Amino acid sequence: MKLQFDVLKKSRALLLKELDGLTLDQIHAIPAGFKNNIAWNVAHLVVTQQLLHYKLSGLNCLCPDDLIEGYTKGTAPKKPFTEEEFEEVKDLLIGLPDTLEEDFEAGIFETYHTYPTSTGIVLDSIEIALAFNNFHEGIHYGIIRSIKKFL
């Protein structure tokens, strides 16, 4: 499982580098052909990781409820983040994988509610959810890189 945590941390570090030098206007821009922006994708990754690992394990998520409501699957950007709000999202993006690994090692993920994803993969354990989340993060990393080409 160590590999799954390493992949998550490395992919998030790469994602953070993609944000270097971007302005608030740029992270909120929605280029033609896209339905969301960079800011939405970043917040969506924080939220999805929490839902797939904590909520489906019957545990409380470690990010604010309003973030979950605004950036869960099927949502779209509604209002821009302030600089301070987006810094908080980035802090969660980088910090939560360490907490997840600590919680996993502490054995708090005792149950898991089966969840069929929209990709056809059925999640039925925390271990499968960890691997699937890394796949999901890779998709959104690619989307963020694509959006950047149009800025």
Side-chain angles (χ1 to χ4, degrees):
M1 291 309 304
K2 179 79 172 131
L3 176 62
Q4 296 300 334
F5 294 110
D6 290 346
V7 168
L8 177 59
K9 291 173 191 178
K10 180 65 173 174
S11 68
R12 289 198 171 182
L14 290 170
L15 173 59
L16 200 58
K17 284 184 183 181
E18 293 294 330
L19 303 177
D20 282 348
L22 296 180
T23 66
L24 271 182
D25 286 340
Q26 288 175 313
I27 67 166
H28 290 106
I30 303 175
F34 290 86
K35 60 182 178 180
N36 50 46
N37 55 37
I38 290 172
W40 183 92
N41 277 275
V42 173
H44 174 72
L45 290 178
V46 170
V47 166
T48 300
Q49 180 269 311
Q50 289 293 294
L51 295 175
L52 291 179
H53 300 139
Y54 288 86
K55 184 175 181 184
L56 289 172
S57 294
L59 301 167
N60 291 327
C61 292
L62 306 178
C63 65
D65 289 341
D66 62 330
L67 197 66
I68 294 171
E69 292 166 13
Y71 299 92
T72 193
K73 178 180 168 183
T75 62
K78 291 184 180 147
K79 69 177 188 99
F81 288 108
T82 65
E83 190 76 46
E84 296 78 24
E85 289 169 337
F86 196 63
E87 285 301 317
E88 290 174 17
V89 171
K90 290 192 303 187
D91 287 346
L92 291 170
L93 183 81
I94 293 303
L96 286 175
D98 289 329
T99 305
L100 174 65
E101 185 173 19
E102 291 166 8
D103 288 345
F104 181 83
E105 289 173 359
I108 73 164
F109 299 101
E110 296 175 0
T111 62
Y112 198 86
H113 302 285
T114 300
Y115 177 73
T117 69
S118 58
T119 62
I121 298 170
V122 176
L123 309 181
D124 60 7
S125 71
I126 188 65
E127 292 82 5
I128 293 172
L130 288 164
F132 178 80
N133 184 69
N134 285 340
F135 163 72
H136 176 260
E137 299 232 353
I139 290 170
H140 286 276
Y141 176 74
I143 292 169
I144 289 168
R145 289 183 51 118
S146 295
I147 291 173
K148 277 185 68 175
K149 291 180 181 181
F150 292 94
L151 298 178

